[in-house]
Amino acid sequence: MNDARPRKRSLTLQGHRTSVSLEDAFWEELQAMAEARGISVNALVAEIDAARGVSAGLASAIRVHILTDLKQR
């Protein structure tokens, strides 16, 4: 069973290191989405980051992106 506690992982966005805390289920789905598109997780998160509003946190934007993608499938 997946751990419900967020795990922090480091990513590189626009040449800068940042860390994001997400639950395992979101990390797993993010990896699967990136693999399905043939891109890295960093590249996918960079797309999500570029599309998010200034008021949305990165972790929240990733979660919403994943949920939106799953609903569209």
Side-chain angles (χ1 to χ4, degrees):
M1 181 172 194
N2 290 336
D3 192 341
R5 292 174 295 173
R7 281 191 207 278
K8 190 175 281 193
R9 297 196 186 170
S10 295
L11 301 167
T12 302
L13 299 175
Q14 300 176 7
H16 301 283
R17 297 293 285 171
T18 189
S19 59
V20 178
S21 293
L22 296 171
E23 296 76 12
D24 285 344
F26 285 104
W27 284 119
E28 291 166 11
E29 191 58 35
L30 191 64
Q31 180 68 41
M33 289 171 65
E35 287 176 6
R37 292 188 48 201
I39 62 174
S40 68
V41 169
N42 277 339
L44 179 55
V45 173
E47 290 178 9
I48 295 167
D49 183 45
R52 72 181 167 124
V54 292
S55 62
L58 182 56
S60 295
I62 292 169
R63 288 183 185 97
V64 169
H65 181 84
I66 291 168
L67 290 172
T68 300
D69 182 77
L70 289 170
K71 289 174 92 175
Q72 290 175 350
R73 286 193 241 159

Short mmCIF file of all heavy atoms in Angstrom, two decimals:
data_model
loop_
_atom_site.label_atom_id
_atom_site.label_comp_id
_atom_site.label_asym_id
_atom_site.label_seq_id
_atom_site.Cartn_x
_atom_site.Cartn_y
_atom_site.Cartn_z
N MET A 1 0.84 -1.18 0.00
CA MET A 1 0.00 0.00 0.00
C MET A 1 0.89 1.25 0.00
O MET A 1 1.93 1.29 0.64
CB MET A 1 -0.91 -0.01 1.21
CG MET A 1 -1.84 1.16 1.27
SD MET A 1 -3.01 0.91 2.63
CE MET A 1 -4.16 2.14 2.20
N ASN A 2 0.44 2.27 -0.70
CA ASN A 2 1.20 3.50 -0.77
C ASN A 2 1.15 4.25 0.55
O ASN A 2 0.16 4.25 1.25
CB ASN A 2 0.64 4.42 -1.87
CG ASN A 2 0.92 3.88 -3.24
OD1 ASN A 2 1.86 3.13 -3.43
ND2 ASN A 2 0.11 4.27 -4.20
N ASP A 3 2.24 4.90 0.85
CA ASP A 3 2.32 5.73 2.04
C ASP A 3 1.57 7.03 1.76
O ASP A 3 1.80 7.68 0.75
CB ASP A 3 3.79 6.01 2.35
CG ASP A 3 4.00 6.60 3.72
OD1 ASP A 3 3.02 7.13 4.30
OD2 ASP A 3 5.12 6.56 4.20
N ALA A 4 0.70 7.44 2.64
CA ALA A 4 -0.10 8.65 2.44
C ALA A 4 0.67 9.91 2.81
O ALA A 4 0.22 11.01 2.50
CB ALA A 4 -1.39 8.57 3.26
N ARG A 5 1.82 9.77 3.45
CA ARG A 5 2.60 10.94 3.81
C ARG A 5 3.36 11.46 2.59
O ARG A 5 3.90 10.67 1.81
CB ARG A 5 3.61 10.60 4.90
CG ARG A 5 2.95 10.28 6.23
CD ARG A 5 3.96 9.81 7.22
NE ARG A 5 4.49 8.53 6.70
CZ ARG A 5 5.50 7.88 7.22
NH1 ARG A 5 6.13 8.35 8.26
NH2 ARG A 5 5.90 6.74 6.72
N PRO A 6 3.40 12.77 2.43
CA PRO A 6 4.15 13.34 1.29
C PRO A 6 5.64 13.02 1.40
O PRO A 6 6.20 12.96 2.49
CB PRO A 6 3.93 14.84 1.42
CG PRO A 6 2.71 14.98 2.27
CD PRO A 6 2.71 13.80 3.18
N ARG A 7 6.24 12.76 0.24
CA ARG A 7 7.68 12.56 0.15
C ARG A 7 8.27 13.71 -0.65
O ARG A 7 7.76 14.06 -1.71
CB ARG A 7 8.00 11.27 -0.58
CG ARG A 7 7.86 10.06 0.25
CD ARG A 7 8.47 8.87 -0.49
NE ARG A 7 7.82 7.67 -0.05
CZ ARG A 7 8.15 7.02 1.05
NH1 ARG A 7 9.11 7.47 1.81
NH2 ARG A 7 7.50 5.94 1.41
N LYS A 8 9.36 14.22 -0.16
CA LYS A 8 10.02 15.34 -0.82
C LYS A 8 11.05 14.78 -1.81
O LYS A 8 11.83 13.89 -1.47
CB LYS A 8 10.71 16.23 0.20
CG LYS A 8 11.23 17.52 -0.37
CD LYS A 8 11.78 18.40 0.71
CE LYS A 8 10.63 19.08 1.41
NZ LYS A 8 11.02 20.19 2.27
N ARG A 9 11.01 15.31 -3.04
CA ARG A 9 11.99 14.94 -4.06
C ARG A 9 12.50 16.21 -4.71
O ARG A 9 11.79 17.20 -4.83
CB ARG A 9 11.37 14.02 -5.10
CG ARG A 9 10.93 12.71 -4.49
CD ARG A 9 10.67 11.67 -5.51
NE ARG A 9 10.12 10.50 -4.84
CZ ARG A 9 9.61 9.47 -5.47
NH1 ARG A 9 9.56 9.46 -6.78
NH2 ARG A 9 9.14 8.45 -4.80
N SER A 10 13.73 16.14 -5.16
CA SER A 10 14.35 17.29 -5.81
C SER A 10 14.14 17.23 -7.32
O SER A 10 14.20 16.16 -7.92
CB SER A 10 15.85 17.33 -5.52
OG SER A 10 16.07 17.53 -4.16
N LEU A 11 13.89 18.38 -7.90
CA LEU A 11 13.72 18.53 -9.34
C LEU A 11 14.52 19.74 -9.79
O LEU A 11 14.86 20.61 -9.00
CB LEU A 11 12.23 18.77 -9.68
CG LEU A 11 11.23 17.72 -9.25
CD1 LEU A 11 9.82 18.26 -9.39
CD2 LEU A 11 11.40 16.47 -10.10
N THR A 12 14.79 19.78 -11.08
CA THR A 12 15.45 20.95 -11.66
C THR A 12 14.48 21.63 -12.61
O THR A 12 13.99 21.02 -13.56
CB THR A 12 16.73 20.55 -12.42
OG1 THR A 12 17.60 19.89 -11.51
CG2 THR A 12 17.43 21.77 -12.99
N LEU A 13 14.16 22.90 -12.33
CA LEU A 13 13.26 23.68 -13.16
C LEU A 13 13.96 24.96 -13.56
O LEU A 13 14.44 25.70 -12.70
CB LEU A 13 11.97 24.03 -12.39
CG LEU A 13 11.12 22.86 -11.92
CD1 LEU A 13 9.96 23.37 -11.09
CD2 LEU A 13 10.62 22.06 -13.10
N GLN A 14 14.04 25.18 -14.85
CA GLN A 14 14.70 26.38 -15.39
C GLN A 14 16.11 26.53 -14.84
O GLN A 14 16.55 27.62 -14.49
CB GLN A 14 13.86 27.62 -15.11
CG GLN A 14 12.49 27.58 -15.72
CD GLN A 14 11.64 28.77 -15.36
OE1 GLN A 14 12.11 29.73 -14.76
NE2 GLN A 14 10.39 28.72 -15.75
N GLY A 15 16.81 25.41 -14.71
CA GLY A 15 18.19 25.43 -14.26
C GLY A 15 18.38 25.56 -12.77
O GLY A 15 19.51 25.64 -12.30
N HIS A 16 17.30 25.58 -12.01
CA HIS A 16 17.39 25.72 -10.56
C HIS A 16 16.83 24.49 -9.87
O HIS A 16 15.80 23.95 -10.29
CB HIS A 16 16.61 26.95 -10.08
CG HIS A 16 17.10 28.23 -10.69
ND1 HIS A 16 18.25 28.85 -10.27
CD2 HIS A 16 16.61 28.98 -11.69
CE1 HIS A 16 18.44 29.94 -10.98
NE2 HIS A 16 17.46 30.04 -11.86
N ARG A 17 17.49 24.06 -8.81
CA ARG A 17 17.00 22.93 -8.03
C ARG A 17 15.87 23.40 -7.12
O ARG A 17 15.93 24.48 -6.55
CB ARG A 17 18.12 22.34 -7.16
CG ARG A 17 19.26 21.75 -7.94
CD ARG A 17 18.90 20.52 -8.73
NE ARG A 17 18.77 19.36 -7.86
CZ ARG A 17 18.28 18.20 -8.26
NH1 ARG A 17 17.89 18.02 -9.49
NH2 ARG A 17 18.19 17.21 -7.42
N THR A 18 14.84 22.58 -7.04
CA THR A 18 13.74 22.85 -6.12
C THR A 18 13.27 21.51 -5.58
O THR A 18 13.58 20.46 -6.15
CB THR A 18 12.59 23.60 -6.83
OG1 THR A 18 11.64 24.02 -5.85
CG2 THR A 18 11.89 22.75 -7.88
N SER A 19 12.54 21.52 -4.52
CA SER A 19 12.00 20.27 -3.98
C SER A 19 10.48 20.38 -3.91
O SER A 19 9.94 21.46 -3.68
CB SER A 19 12.58 19.95 -2.61
OG SER A 19 12.32 20.98 -1.70
N VAL A 20 9.85 19.24 -4.13
CA VAL A 20 8.40 19.16 -4.13
C VAL A 20 7.99 17.98 -3.25
O VAL A 20 8.58 16.91 -3.34
CB VAL A 20 7.85 18.95 -5.56
CG1 VAL A 20 6.34 18.81 -5.56
CG2 VAL A 20 8.28 20.09 -6.47
N SER A 21 6.99 18.19 -2.42
CA SER A 21 6.46 17.12 -1.57
C SER A 21 5.13 16.64 -2.13
O SER A 21 4.18 17.43 -2.26
CB SER A 21 6.25 17.63 -0.14
OG SER A 21 7.48 17.93 0.46
N LEU A 22 5.09 15.36 -2.49
CA LEU A 22 3.87 14.72 -2.99
C LEU A 22 3.75 13.33 -2.38
O LEU A 22 4.77 12.71 -2.06
CB LEU A 22 3.91 14.56 -4.52
CG LEU A 22 3.93 15.81 -5.38
CD1 LEU A 22 4.19 15.43 -6.84
CD2 LEU A 22 2.63 16.57 -5.26
N GLU A 23 2.56 12.84 -2.28
CA GLU A 23 2.31 11.48 -1.82
C GLU A 23 2.80 10.50 -2.90
O GLU A 23 2.86 10.83 -4.08
CB GLU A 23 0.82 11.28 -1.55
CG GLU A 23 0.28 12.15 -0.42
CD GLU A 23 0.07 13.61 -0.79
OE1 GLU A 23 0.12 13.97 -1.99
OE2 GLU A 23 -0.13 14.42 0.13
N ASP A 24 3.15 9.28 -2.47
CA ASP A 24 3.68 8.27 -3.40
C ASP A 24 2.78 8.05 -4.61
O ASP A 24 3.28 7.90 -5.73
CB ASP A 24 3.88 6.94 -2.68
CG ASP A 24 5.09 6.93 -1.76
OD1 ASP A 24 5.95 7.83 -1.89
OD2 ASP A 24 5.17 6.02 -0.92
N ALA A 25 1.47 8.04 -4.41
CA ALA A 25 0.56 7.80 -5.53
C ALA A 25 0.71 8.87 -6.61
O ALA A 25 0.65 8.58 -7.81
CB ALA A 25 -0.89 7.76 -5.03
N PHE A 26 0.94 10.11 -6.20
CA PHE A 26 1.13 11.18 -7.18
C PHE A 26 2.49 11.06 -7.86
O PHE A 26 2.60 11.28 -9.07
CB PHE A 26 0.97 12.56 -6.52
CG PHE A 26 -0.46 12.90 -6.24
CD1 PHE A 26 -0.96 12.82 -4.96
CD2 PHE A 26 -1.31 13.31 -7.26
CE1 PHE A 26 -2.29 13.13 -4.69
CE2 PHE A 26 -2.64 13.62 -7.00
CZ PHE A 26 -3.13 13.53 -5.72
N TRP A 27 3.55 10.71 -7.11
CA TRP A 27 4.86 10.51 -7.74
C TRP A 27 4.79 9.40 -8.77
O TRP A 27 5.34 9.50 -9.86
CB TRP A 27 5.93 10.19 -6.70
CG TRP A 27 6.41 11.38 -5.92
CD1 TRP A 27 6.33 11.57 -4.57
CD2 TRP A 27 7.05 12.56 -6.44
NE1 TRP A 27 6.87 12.79 -4.23
CE2 TRP A 27 7.32 13.41 -5.36
CE3 TRP A 27 7.41 12.98 -7.73
CZ2 TRP A 27 7.95 14.65 -5.51
CZ3 TRP A 27 8.03 14.21 -7.87
CH2 TRP A 27 8.29 15.03 -6.78
N GLU A 28 4.10 8.30 -8.42
CA GLU A 28 3.98 7.16 -9.34
C GLU A 28 3.23 7.55 -10.60
O GLU A 28 3.64 7.20 -11.72
CB GLU A 28 3.29 5.99 -8.64
CG GLU A 28 4.14 5.37 -7.55
CD GLU A 28 3.39 4.44 -6.63
OE1 GLU A 28 2.21 4.10 -6.93
OE2 GLU A 28 3.96 4.06 -5.59
N GLU A 29 2.14 8.27 -10.46
CA GLU A 29 1.36 8.69 -11.64
C GLU A 29 2.13 9.71 -12.47
O GLU A 29 2.09 9.66 -13.70
CB GLU A 29 0.01 9.25 -11.22
CG GLU A 29 -0.95 9.46 -12.36
CD GLU A 29 -1.23 8.19 -13.16
OE1 GLU A 29 -1.29 7.10 -12.57
OE2 GLU A 29 -1.41 8.30 -14.39
N LEU A 30 2.84 10.60 -11.82
CA LEU A 30 3.66 11.58 -12.54
C LEU A 30 4.71 10.87 -13.38
O LEU A 30 4.92 11.20 -14.56
CB LEU A 30 4.31 12.54 -11.54
CG LEU A 30 4.98 13.78 -12.09
CD1 LEU A 30 3.96 14.70 -12.76
CD2 LEU A 30 5.70 14.52 -10.97
N GLN A 31 5.37 9.86 -12.81
CA GLN A 31 6.36 9.07 -13.54
C GLN A 31 5.72 8.35 -14.72
O GLN A 31 6.26 8.35 -15.83
CB GLN A 31 7.03 8.06 -12.61
CG GLN A 31 8.07 7.19 -13.27
CD GLN A 31 9.30 7.95 -13.70
OE1 GLN A 31 9.78 8.82 -12.99
NE2 GLN A 31 9.82 7.65 -14.87
N ALA A 32 4.56 7.76 -14.51
CA ALA A 32 3.87 7.05 -15.59
C ALA A 32 3.47 8.00 -16.71
O ALA A 32 3.59 7.66 -17.90
CB ALA A 32 2.64 6.32 -15.03
N MET A 33 3.00 9.18 -16.35
CA MET A 33 2.63 10.17 -17.37
C MET A 33 3.84 10.60 -18.19
O MET A 33 3.75 10.71 -19.42
CB MET A 33 2.00 11.40 -16.70
CG MET A 33 0.62 11.15 -16.12
SD MET A 33 0.04 12.56 -15.14
CE MET A 33 -0.11 13.81 -16.39
N ALA A 34 4.95 10.83 -17.52
CA ALA A 34 6.17 11.23 -18.22
C ALA A 34 6.65 10.12 -19.14
O ALA A 34 6.99 10.38 -20.30
CB ALA A 34 7.26 11.60 -17.21
N GLU A 35 6.65 8.89 -18.66
CA GLU A 35 7.07 7.75 -19.48
C GLU A 35 6.17 7.58 -20.70
O GLU A 35 6.65 7.32 -21.80
CB GLU A 35 7.08 6.47 -18.66
CG GLU A 35 8.23 6.40 -17.68
CD GLU A 35 8.20 5.17 -16.80
OE1 GLU A 35 7.34 4.28 -17.01
OE2 GLU A 35 9.04 5.10 -15.88
N ALA A 36 4.87 7.74 -20.51
CA ALA A 36 3.92 7.59 -21.62
C ALA A 36 4.17 8.63 -22.71
O ALA A 36 3.93 8.37 -23.89
CB ALA A 36 2.48 7.70 -21.11
N ARG A 37 4.67 9.79 -22.32
CA ARG A 37 4.95 10.86 -23.28
C ARG A 37 6.38 10.83 -23.78
O ARG A 37 6.76 11.61 -24.65
CB ARG A 37 4.65 12.22 -22.65
CG ARG A 37 3.15 12.41 -22.42
CD ARG A 37 2.80 13.79 -21.98
NE ARG A 37 3.42 14.81 -22.80
CZ ARG A 37 3.61 16.06 -22.40
NH1 ARG A 37 3.23 16.44 -21.19
NH2 ARG A 37 4.18 16.94 -23.18
N GLY A 38 7.20 9.97 -23.19
CA GLY A 38 8.60 9.88 -23.60
C GLY A 38 9.44 11.06 -23.16
O GLY A 38 10.39 11.44 -23.85
N ILE A 39 9.08 11.65 -22.01
CA ILE A 39 9.83 12.78 -21.48
C ILE A 39 10.20 12.49 -20.03
O ILE A 39 9.68 11.56 -19.42
CB ILE A 39 9.05 14.11 -21.58
CG1 ILE A 39 7.75 14.06 -20.76
CG2 ILE A 39 8.77 14.48 -23.03
CD1 ILE A 39 6.99 15.38 -20.71
N SER A 40 11.09 13.29 -19.49
CA SER A 40 11.48 13.11 -18.10
C SER A 40 10.44 13.72 -17.16
O SER A 40 9.63 14.57 -17.58
CB SER A 40 12.84 13.78 -17.85
OG SER A 40 12.71 15.19 -17.94
N VAL A 41 10.49 13.31 -15.92
CA VAL A 41 9.62 13.92 -14.91
C VAL A 41 9.94 15.41 -14.80
O VAL A 41 9.03 16.23 -14.69
CB VAL A 41 9.77 13.21 -13.55
CG1 VAL A 41 9.09 13.99 -12.43
CG2 VAL A 41 9.21 11.80 -13.62
N ASN A 42 11.22 15.76 -14.85
CA ASN A 42 11.59 17.18 -14.80
C ASN A 42 10.94 17.96 -15.93
O ASN A 42 10.44 19.07 -15.72
CB ASN A 42 13.11 17.35 -14.89
CG ASN A 42 13.80 17.19 -13.57
OD1 ASN A 42 13.21 17.32 -12.50
ND2 ASN A 42 15.08 16.89 -13.62
N ALA A 43 10.93 17.40 -17.14
CA ALA A 43 10.33 18.09 -18.29
C ALA A 43 8.83 18.24 -18.10
O ALA A 43 8.26 19.30 -18.40
CB ALA A 43 10.63 17.34 -19.58
N LEU A 44 8.17 17.21 -17.60
CA LEU A 44 6.73 17.29 -17.37
C LEU A 44 6.41 18.32 -16.30
O LEU A 44 5.50 19.14 -16.46
CB LEU A 44 6.18 15.91 -16.98
CG LEU A 44 4.69 15.84 -16.67
CD1 LEU A 44 3.84 16.37 -17.83
CD2 LEU A 44 4.29 14.40 -16.34
N VAL A 45 7.17 18.30 -15.22
CA VAL A 45 6.93 19.28 -14.15
C VAL A 45 7.22 20.70 -14.64
O VAL A 45 6.52 21.63 -14.28
CB VAL A 45 7.73 18.94 -12.88
CG1 VAL A 45 7.63 20.04 -11.84
CG2 VAL A 45 7.24 17.62 -12.29
N ALA A 46 8.20 20.85 -15.52
CA ALA A 46 8.49 22.17 -16.09
C ALA A 46 7.29 22.68 -16.88
O ALA A 46 6.95 23.87 -16.82
CB ALA A 46 9.73 22.12 -16.96
N GLU A 47 6.62 21.79 -17.63
CA GLU A 47 5.40 22.17 -18.36
C GLU A 47 4.30 22.59 -17.40
O GLU A 47 3.62 23.60 -17.61
CB GLU A 47 4.91 21.01 -19.22
CG GLU A 47 5.78 20.69 -20.41
CD GLU A 47 5.26 19.50 -21.19
OE1 GLU A 47 4.13 19.01 -20.92
OE2 GLU A 47 6.00 19.04 -22.08
N ILE A 48 4.12 21.81 -16.35
CA ILE A 48 3.09 22.12 -15.35
C ILE A 48 3.41 23.45 -14.68
O ILE A 48 2.53 24.29 -14.49
CB ILE A 48 2.99 20.97 -14.31
CG1 ILE A 48 2.50 19.69 -14.99
CG2 ILE A 48 2.07 21.37 -13.16
CD1 ILE A 48 2.66 18.43 -14.13
N ASP A 49 4.68 23.65 -14.35
CA ASP A 49 5.11 24.88 -13.71
C ASP A 49 4.84 26.09 -14.60
O ASP A 49 4.35 27.12 -14.13
CB ASP A 49 6.60 24.79 -13.38
CG ASP A 49 7.13 26.00 -12.64
OD1 ASP A 49 6.46 26.47 -11.70
OD2 ASP A 49 8.22 26.47 -13.01
N ALA A 50 5.12 25.96 -15.89
CA ALA A 50 4.93 27.07 -16.82
C ALA A 50 3.45 27.42 -16.98
O ALA A 50 3.10 28.57 -17.23
CB ALA A 50 5.54 26.73 -18.17
N ALA A 51 2.58 26.42 -16.83
CA ALA A 51 1.15 26.63 -17.05
C ALA A 51 0.39 27.05 -15.79
O ALA A 51 -0.75 27.51 -15.89
CB ALA A 51 0.52 25.35 -17.60
N ARG A 52 1.02 26.92 -14.63
CA ARG A 52 0.28 27.21 -13.39
C ARG A 52 0.16 28.72 -13.17
O ARG A 52 0.96 29.50 -13.63
CB ARG A 52 0.94 26.57 -12.18
CG ARG A 52 2.24 27.20 -11.76
CD ARG A 52 2.82 26.46 -10.56
NE ARG A 52 4.19 26.87 -10.35
CZ ARG A 52 4.64 27.37 -9.22
NH1 ARG A 52 3.83 27.52 -8.19
NH2 ARG A 52 5.91 27.70 -9.09
N GLY A 53 -0.86 29.09 -12.46
CA GLY A 53 -1.04 30.48 -12.09
C GLY A 53 -0.09 30.86 -10.98
O GLY A 53 0.44 30.01 -10.28
N VAL A 54 0.12 32.13 -10.83
CA VAL A 54 1.06 32.60 -9.82
C VAL A 54 0.59 32.31 -8.40
O VAL A 54 1.39 32.22 -7.48
CB VAL A 54 1.37 34.11 -9.97
CG1 VAL A 54 2.14 34.37 -11.23
CG2 VAL A 54 0.11 34.93 -9.91
N SER A 55 -0.71 32.15 -8.21
CA SER A 55 -1.23 31.91 -6.87
C SER A 55 -1.21 30.42 -6.49
O SER A 55 -1.36 30.08 -5.33
CB SER A 55 -2.66 32.44 -6.74
OG SER A 55 -3.51 31.76 -7.64
N ALA A 56 -1.01 29.54 -7.47
CA ALA A 56 -1.00 28.10 -7.21
C ALA A 56 0.39 27.64 -6.84
O ALA A 56 1.37 27.99 -7.50
CB ALA A 56 -1.49 27.34 -8.43
N GLY A 57 0.50 26.85 -5.77
CA GLY A 57 1.77 26.24 -5.42
C GLY A 57 2.09 25.13 -6.39
O GLY A 57 1.19 24.55 -7.03
N LEU A 58 3.37 24.81 -6.54
CA LEU A 58 3.78 23.80 -7.51
C LEU A 58 3.21 22.43 -7.18
O LEU A 58 2.69 21.74 -8.07
CB LEU A 58 5.31 23.73 -7.60
CG LEU A 58 5.87 22.74 -8.62
CD1 LEU A 58 5.33 23.01 -10.02
CD2 LEU A 58 7.39 22.79 -8.61
N ALA A 59 3.27 22.01 -5.93
CA ALA A 59 2.73 20.69 -5.56
C ALA A 59 1.23 20.62 -5.86
O ALA A 59 0.75 19.62 -6.40
CB ALA A 59 3.00 20.39 -4.10
N SER A 60 0.51 21.67 -5.55
CA SER A 60 -0.93 21.70 -5.85
C SER A 60 -1.18 21.64 -7.35
O SER A 60 -2.08 20.93 -7.82
CB SER A 60 -1.58 22.95 -5.27
OG SER A 60 -1.51 22.93 -3.87
N ALA A 61 -0.39 22.37 -8.11
CA ALA A 61 -0.55 22.38 -9.57
C ALA A 61 -0.28 20.99 -10.15
O ALA A 61 -0.97 20.55 -11.07
CB ALA A 61 0.39 23.41 -10.20
N ILE A 62 0.70 20.29 -9.61
CA ILE A 62 1.00 18.92 -10.07
C ILE A 62 -0.18 18.00 -9.76
O ILE A 62 -0.62 17.23 -10.61
CB ILE A 62 2.29 18.40 -9.43
CG1 ILE A 62 3.50 19.18 -9.95
CG2 ILE A 62 2.46 16.90 -9.70
CD1 ILE A 62 4.79 18.92 -9.19
N ARG A 63 -0.69 18.08 -8.53
CA ARG A 63 -1.83 17.22 -8.16
C ARG A 63 -3.04 17.48 -9.06
O ARG A 63 -3.68 16.54 -9.54
CB ARG A 63 -2.21 17.45 -6.70
CG ARG A 63 -1.24 16.88 -5.71
CD ARG A 63 -1.75 17.10 -4.29
NE ARG A 63 -0.79 16.66 -3.30
CZ ARG A 63 0.07 17.48 -2.68
NH1 ARG A 63 0.07 18.78 -2.92
NH2 ARG A 63 0.91 16.99 -1.78
N VAL A 64 -3.35 18.75 -9.30
CA VAL A 64 -4.50 19.09 -10.15
C VAL A 64 -4.26 18.61 -11.58
O VAL A 64 -5.16 18.07 -12.22
CB VAL A 64 -4.77 20.61 -10.12
CG1 VAL A 64 -5.77 21.03 -11.18
CG2 VAL A 64 -5.27 21.01 -8.73
N HIS A 65 -3.04 18.76 -12.08
CA HIS A 65 -2.71 18.29 -13.43
C HIS A 65 -2.92 16.78 -13.55
O HIS A 65 -3.52 16.30 -14.51
CB HIS A 65 -1.26 18.66 -13.78
CG HIS A 65 -0.85 18.24 -15.15
ND1 HIS A 65 -1.11 19.00 -16.25
CD2 HIS A 65 -0.24 17.11 -15.59
CE1 HIS A 65 -0.64 18.37 -17.32
NE2 HIS A 65 -0.13 17.23 -16.94
N ILE A 66 -2.45 16.04 -12.57
CA ILE A 66 -2.61 14.59 -12.57
C ILE A 66 -4.09 14.21 -12.51
O ILE A 66 -4.54 13.37 -13.28
CB ILE A 66 -1.82 13.95 -11.41
CG1 ILE A 66 -0.31 14.09 -11.68
CG2 ILE A 66 -2.21 12.48 -11.22
CD1 ILE A 66 0.56 13.75 -10.50
N LEU A 67 -4.84 14.83 -11.62
CA LEU A 67 -6.27 14.52 -11.51
C LEU A 67 -7.01 14.85 -12.79
O LEU A 67 -7.87 14.09 -13.25
CB LEU A 67 -6.88 15.24 -10.32
CG LEU A 67 -6.44 14.74 -8.95
CD1 LEU A 67 -6.96 15.67 -7.86
CD2 LEU A 67 -6.91 13.32 -8.73
N THR A 68 -6.69 15.99 -13.39
CA THR A 68 -7.33 16.39 -14.65
C THR A 68 -7.02 15.37 -15.75
O THR A 68 -7.92 14.96 -16.50
CB THR A 68 -6.86 17.79 -15.08
OG1 THR A 68 -7.22 18.71 -14.04
CG2 THR A 68 -7.50 18.24 -16.38
N ASP A 69 -5.76 14.94 -15.82
CA ASP A 69 -5.37 13.96 -16.83
C ASP A 69 -6.11 12.64 -16.62
O ASP A 69 -6.61 12.04 -17.59
CB ASP A 69 -3.85 13.74 -16.77
CG ASP A 69 -3.38 12.76 -17.82
OD1 ASP A 69 -3.30 13.17 -18.99
OD2 ASP A 69 -3.11 11.58 -17.47
N LEU A 70 -6.19 12.18 -15.39
CA LEU A 70 -6.88 10.93 -15.10
C LEU A 70 -8.36 11.01 -15.44
O LEU A 70 -8.95 10.06 -15.97
CB LEU A 70 -6.70 10.55 -13.63
CG LEU A 70 -5.30 10.08 -13.26
CD1 LEU A 70 -5.18 9.96 -11.74
CD2 LEU A 70 -4.97 8.75 -13.92
N LYS A 71 -8.99 12.14 -15.16
CA LYS A 71 -10.42 12.32 -15.47
C LYS A 71 -10.66 12.34 -16.98
O LYS A 71 -11.69 11.87 -17.45
CB LYS A 71 -10.94 13.59 -14.83
CG LYS A 71 -11.07 13.50 -13.32
CD LYS A 71 -11.46 14.81 -12.71
CE LYS A 71 -12.95 14.91 -12.60
NZ LYS A 71 -13.37 16.14 -11.89
N GLN A 72 -9.72 12.89 -17.74
CA GLN A 72 -9.87 12.95 -19.20
C GLN A 72 -9.69 11.60 -19.86
O GLN A 72 -10.17 11.38 -20.96
CB GLN A 72 -8.89 13.96 -19.80
CG GLN A 72 -9.24 15.38 -19.47
CD GLN A 72 -8.22 16.39 -19.96
OE1 GLN A 72 -7.14 16.02 -20.40
NE2 GLN A 72 -8.56 17.66 -19.89
N ARG A 73 -9.00 10.69 -19.18
CA ARG A 73 -8.83 9.34 -19.74
C ARG A 73 -10.09 8.60 -19.51
O ARG A 73 -10.62 7.76 -19.75
CB ARG A 73 -7.66 8.63 -19.07
CG ARG A 73 -6.33 9.15 -19.53
CD ARG A 73 -5.22 8.25 -19.11
NE ARG A 73 -4.32 8.98 -18.24
CZ ARG A 73 -3.49 8.42 -17.39
NH1 ARG A 73 -3.46 7.13 -17.24
NH2 ARG A 73 -2.68 9.14 -16.67
#
